[in-house]
C-alpha cells in the first residue's frame, strides 16, 4: 500500500531508542539451534518476515520452535536429526534463508525444494550451487541459471578448499554449514572479509572453526553442537536509519541502545566519522560473542563527502541506500565504488537509489559499480518506487525528514521484512 509521509512540521528527533534484533544473527540462531543438541533460547529475536521464513523452514523439517513475543525457543534435533521437509520450503523475500539453508540441506540424506517471491526468484544462486555441487550435493532447477525454485539432493559431502569470487557472508556461511556434514575439513577463502556472524556463532555452539586470516576460515566436520542462550543485539542496519536521521535533522540528539558493532558490519560508523558526523559509542561490551555498544548521534550541519570503496564495502553493503541519503545532505562529492553487488540485492539498488534521489532533485549519477553524488542541494518530495525493497523504503522515509514537500512511498509494508514498527519508532522521536 502507498504511504504519504507527513512533512509539515519542523522535525527534531530527540530521545533514546532500541532497534529490533539483528537479522543475520536471528537467522543463524534458528539454524544452529535446530541442528544442535538440547534447547536454544533466543532473546530479542527479529520477528521480521525474512526470519519467520527461516523458522517455518525448520518447522517443516521437524524442529519444534516456540515463539513467546520476541523470545524464541528452539528444540534442537542434532546435526543428523532433521527430517525430509513436509512440503516446499518458502524463503519468501529472504536471500539469507535460501543460501544458508542450502548449505545445511546439501548435507542431508533427503531431497528438499526451495522457492520464494518474485524478487528472490531473480537473485543469483549459482554462487552457492557451484561450491555445494563441488562438495557433492545435486541441484535441479528448471532454469538454466539455477534461480529458485530448485531441488537439492544432499548427503555424502566431501570437504574441500574454495575461493569465492565475491565477498559474500551468505556464500561463505553456506559452505561452512555444508562443511559440518563433510568427510574432512572445509576451507573458504574470500577476496575481502565479509560479515563473520556464522563463524562467531558456530564457535559459540561448539563447532571447530579455525580462522587463518580475516579472509580464510576452515571448519572441521561432525562436531557435537550444543544448544545455547543467544541474546540478539540490535541490528546496525536498522539503527543506520536513525543514525542518519539524527545527523541530518536540525536540533536532533539520539541515543540508540544495544547495537551490534561487529567490525565486519559497522563500516557505516567509520564513514560517518570520515564525513565529520557527530557520532560516538559508549558502553562497548560483548553479548553472545558479538561486540555491542550504545550509539549517540547529533545534528551535524557541516558534514562533507567522502569516497567509499574497497574492503569497507562488504561491512556496509546493506547501509548504502541510507548512506546515499546522508551523502545527498553532506556538502560536496561522495563516490561509492566496488559495490556492484548492490545490483543483486532485494532490488537493483544502484537503480532504486539513483532513480529515487534524482526524483527528489539530487545531483547523482549511476556508475557500473556504485554512484557519484554531489550533495548539499535542497531535496524535494517525490513519489519513490521502492520495488518492495525494505531498505529503499526506510532510506527514503528518512530523506523525507529534510525535503521540501512530502515523500510518497509506493509500498510501506515491505519494511516488515527487517523492521516491523519502523514508522512507529520514527514517529516516536519526532
Ligand atoms: C547477509 C549477508 C549479506 C547481506 C544480507 C545478509 C547475511 O549478503 O547483504 O542482507 O546474513 O549473511 P551477501 O552475503 O550476499 O553479501
Amino acid at each position: 500500500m502507498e504511504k504519504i509521509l507527513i512533512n509539515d512540521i519542523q522535525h527534531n528527533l530527540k530521545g533514546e531508542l532500541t532497534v529490533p534484533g539483528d537479522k543475520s544473527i536471528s537467522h543463524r540462531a534458528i539454524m544452529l539451534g535446530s541442528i544442535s543438541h538440547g534447547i536454544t533460547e533466543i532473546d530479542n529475536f527479529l520477528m521480521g518476515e525474512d526470519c519467520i521464513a527461516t523458522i517455518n523452514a525448520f518447522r517443516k523439517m521437524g524442529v519444534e520452535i516456540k515463539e513467546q513475543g520476541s523470545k524464541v525457543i528452539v528444540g534442537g534435533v542434532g546435526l543428523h536429526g532433521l527430517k525430509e521437509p513436509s512440503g516446499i520450503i518458502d524463503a519468501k523475500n529472504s536471500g539469507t534463508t535460501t543460501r544458508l539453508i542450502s548449505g545445511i540441506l546439501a548435507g542431508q540424506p533427503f531431497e528438499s525444494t526451495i522457492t520464494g517471491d518474485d524478487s528472490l526468484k531473480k537473485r543469483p544462486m549459482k554462487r552457492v550451487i557451484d561450491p555445494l555441487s563441488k562438495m557433492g550435493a545435486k541441484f535441479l532447477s528448471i532454469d538454466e541459471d539455477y534461480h529458485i525454485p530448485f531441488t537439492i539432493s544432499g548427503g555424502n559431502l566431501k570437504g574441500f578448499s574454495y575461493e569465492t569470487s565475491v565477498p559474500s557472508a551468505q556464500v561463505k556461511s553456506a559452505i561452512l554449514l555444508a562443511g559440518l556434514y563433510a568427510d574432512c575439513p572445509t576451507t573458504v577463502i574470500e577476496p575481502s572479509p565479509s560479515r563473520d556472524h556464522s563463524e562467531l556463532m558456530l564457535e559459540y555452539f561448539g563447532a571447530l572453526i579455525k580462522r587463518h586470516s580475516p579472509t580464510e576460515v576452515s571448519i572441521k566436520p561432525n562436531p557435537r553442537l550444543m544448544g545455547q542462550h543467544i541474546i540478539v543485539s540490535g541490528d546496525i542496519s536498522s539503527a543506520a536509519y536513525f543514525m542518519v536521521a539524527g545527523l541530518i535533522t536540525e536540533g536532533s540528539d539520539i541515543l540508540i541502545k544495544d547495537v551490534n558493532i561487529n567490525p565486519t558490519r559497522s563500516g557505516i560508523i567509520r564513514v560517518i566519522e570520515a564525513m565529520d558526523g557527530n557520532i560516538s559509542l559508549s558502553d562497548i561490551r560483548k553479548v553472545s560473542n558479538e561486540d555491542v555498544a550504545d550509539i549517540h548521534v547529533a545534528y551535524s550541519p557541516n558534514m562533507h563527502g567522502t569516497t567509499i570503496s574497497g574492503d569497507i564495502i562488504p561491512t556496509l553493503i546493506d547501509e548504502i541506500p541510507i548512506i546515499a541519503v546522508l551523502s545527498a545532505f553532506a556538502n560536496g562529492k561522495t563516490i561509492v565504488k566496488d559495490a556492484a553487488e548492490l545490483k543483486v540485492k532485494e532490488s537493483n539498488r544502484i537503480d532504486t537509489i539513483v532513480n529515487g534521489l534524482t526524483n527528489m532533485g539530487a545531483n547523482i549519477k549511476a556508475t557500473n559499480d556504485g554512484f557519484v553524488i554531489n550533495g548539499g542541494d535542497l531535496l524535494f518530495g517525490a513519489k519513490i518506487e521502492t520495488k518492495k525493497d525494505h531498505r529503499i523504503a526506510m532510506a527514503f522515509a528518512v530523506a523525507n525528514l529534510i525535503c521540501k514537500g512530502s515523500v510518497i512511498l509506493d509500498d510501506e509494508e515491505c519494511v516488515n521484512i527487517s523492521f516491523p514498527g519502523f514508522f512507529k519508532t520514527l514517529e516516536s522521536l519526532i
Side-chain angles (χ1 to χ4, degrees), residues 35 61 79-82 104-112 153-155 181:
I35 57 170
M61 291 189 277
L79 208 53
H80 301 285
L82 295 175
I104 294 177
L105 295 175
Q108 308 306 316
F110 51 70
E111 246 184 42
S112 19
S153 311
Y181 295 93

Side-chain angles (χ1 to χ4, degrees), residues 22-25 27-28 50 95-96 99-100 123 127 166-173 190 194-195 197-198 237 265 314 317-318 341 344-346 349 390-391:
D22 187 87
K23 183 155 82 68
S24 295
I25 296 175
H27 281 296
R28 286 156 172 82
D50 274 16
T96 311
R99 297 194 179 113
L100 269 62
R123 296 183 67 187
R127 52 180 63 192
V166 282
S168 161
Q170 294 181 354
V171 175
K172 172 178 66 179
S173 304
E190 295 191 285
S194 65
R195 66 187 67 188
H197 304 301
S198 295
S237 302
R265 284 291 296 285
I317 189 76
D318 292 343
E341 277 293 295
V344 290
K345 294 295 178 189
E346 286 83 330
R349 286 188 181 154
H390 53 134
R391 302 210 184 281

Side-chain angles (χ1 to χ4, degrees), residues 6-18:
I6 298 163
N7 201 1
D8 55 358
I9 44 169
Q10 177 66 44
H11 305 293
N12 61 16
L13 309 177
K14 287 204 191 291
E16 248 181 55
L17 71 143
T18 54

Side-chain angles (χ1 to χ4, degrees), residues 24-101:
S24 295
I25 296 175
S26 295
H27 281 296
R28 286 156 172 82
I30 296 293
M31 294 187 188
L32 293 190
S34 295
I35 57 170
S36 294
H37 292 275
I39 298 291
T40 286
E41 223 179 284
I42 312 167
D43 280 313
N44 199 34
F45 181 83
L46 169 62
M47 283 296 172
E49 288 169 7
D50 274 16
C51 297
I52 292 172
T54 293
I55 291 185
N56 288 336
F58 282 90
R59 281 184 176 146
K60 280 210 162 102
M61 291 189 277
V63 182
E64 206 176 298
I65 304 178
K66 288 192 202 126
E67 296 166 32
Q68 297 169 354
S70 65
K71 183 195 262 308
V72 175
I73 298 167
V74 184
V77 295
L79 208 53
H80 301 285
L82 295 175
K83 296 199 174 72
E84 181 156 353
S86 52
I88 293 175
I89 292 173
D90 187 354
K92 305 262 171 158
N93 190 247
S94 175
T96 311
T97 307
T98 312
R99 297 194 179 113
L100 269 62
I101 222 174

